[in-house]
Amino acid sequence: MRVTTMARPAAAVLLAAATLFTTAGAATAASPSPAVSGGEDGAPTEAGTTFRTATPVKQGQKATASASTGDYLYWQFPAGAGQRATAEATVQLPEAATRHGGATWQLDVFDGLRRRQACASGEPTKRALRQDTTVKVTCTLRTVRPWADRWANDPLPGAYYVRLTVSDVPDQDLGLPVKAELRADAEDAGGAHAEGGEVAPLHAAAVAEPESGWNGGWWSARWAWTVGGAVLGALAAIGGYKLTRHPHRAARQQ
């Protein structure tokens, strides 16, 4: 009876532990990450048609998609504080013999709050002539800030949406097949663009966190200037102390 009494609490503990791990495993399996069709290298081969279905793309990864002229194509990529992001889309146009005129292609970039972000450089809108085989549109955003005022439209850390559209196209050309490639890169602006602050990334659940983190790495040019200034200040203090101390030693020796 004594052995049985001691075994019961132990069995209860083991049963509770087994239930806990089983529940955790089931919870993990119940919330899988979004599935995206990809090629052999894992790069996406489809694009979304709305903000909600935007296809996630990693920094430096080339995504492709087959679509029809007139479709709205959406992707999303991550960008952290201190980074300057560039989105570039190349469209392979239908054969010239099947087209009835030119078309204007446009690349728009939105932040996690779906606010359209201005392009600091690049050519986000371009007219493709009837004889052209490809057209390329690019947009380089302003440097992502770690924080901003509520009224400001500054780019903040998190997901960024890319929308590729066509306009001013002959009605007869709508529906013709096209192939699109998108690449989103981000470089560390650093230097004068480094600043303190931290904010939760905007709508970042579906995209991978940048290697330097959402709020940038801990080291920046500001740290270099701060440490360098402190070292120079310490050396100047030591030098001044020695210069002011030596004359008194000489006077006492005399």
Side-chain angles (χ1 to χ4, degrees), residues 21-192:
F21 284 109
T22 303
T23 304
T28 304
S31 56
S33 57
V36 178
S37 298
E40 295 181 356
D41 58 352
T45 57
E46 295 180 358
T49 55
T50 64
F51 283 104
R52 293 175 59 87
T53 61
T55 299
V57 181
K58 298 178 181 179
Q59 290 184 2
Q61 190 177 50
K62 181 183 292 184
T64 59
S66 297
S68 300
T69 303
D71 289 346
Y72 283 70
L73 304 181
Y74 287 81
W75 295 270
Q76 57 178 317
F77 68 93
Q83 291 187 327
R84 185 181 292 115
T86 298
E88 177 183 285
T90 303
V91 183
Q92 296 182 12
L93 303 172
E95 295 182 3
T98 63
R99 305 198 324 255
H100 298 79
T104 301
W105 290 85
Q106 182 168 331
L107 188 71
D108 295 307
V109 183
F110 304 82
D111 65 9
L113 298 179
R114 301 183 185 180
R115 302 176 301 181
R116 187 175 181 274
Q117 292 294 314
C119 300
S121 61
E123 193 173 8
T125 303
K126 191 171 184 179
R127 179 74 177 174
L129 303 179
R130 182 176 180 179
Q131 67 271 18
D132 292 337
T133 58
T134 62
V135 61
K136 180 185 293 184
V137 283
T138 62
C139 176
T140 298
L141 300 177
R142 295 169 295 165
T143 304
V144 177
R145 298 191 60 195
W147 66 276
D149 295 315
R150 292 185 177 182
W151 50 264
N153 194 35
D154 296 323
L156 295 173
Y160 281 80
Y161 297 95
V162 179
R163 182 178 67 191
L164 180 64
T165 59
V166 64
S167 61
D168 193 19
V169 59
D171 292 340
Q172 303 94 316
D173 293 350
L174 293 175
L176 292 178
V178 294
K179 292 184 178 180
E181 293 181 356
L182 177 87
R183 183 182 177 94
D185 293 301
E187 62 177 1
D188 185 11

Side-chain angles (χ1 to χ4, degrees), residues 181-208:
E181 293 181 356
L182 177 87
R183 183 182 177 94
D185 293 301
E187 62 177 1
D188 185 11
H193 298 281
E195 55 182 317
E198 184 173 339
V199 67
L202 302 176
H203 193 76
V207 292

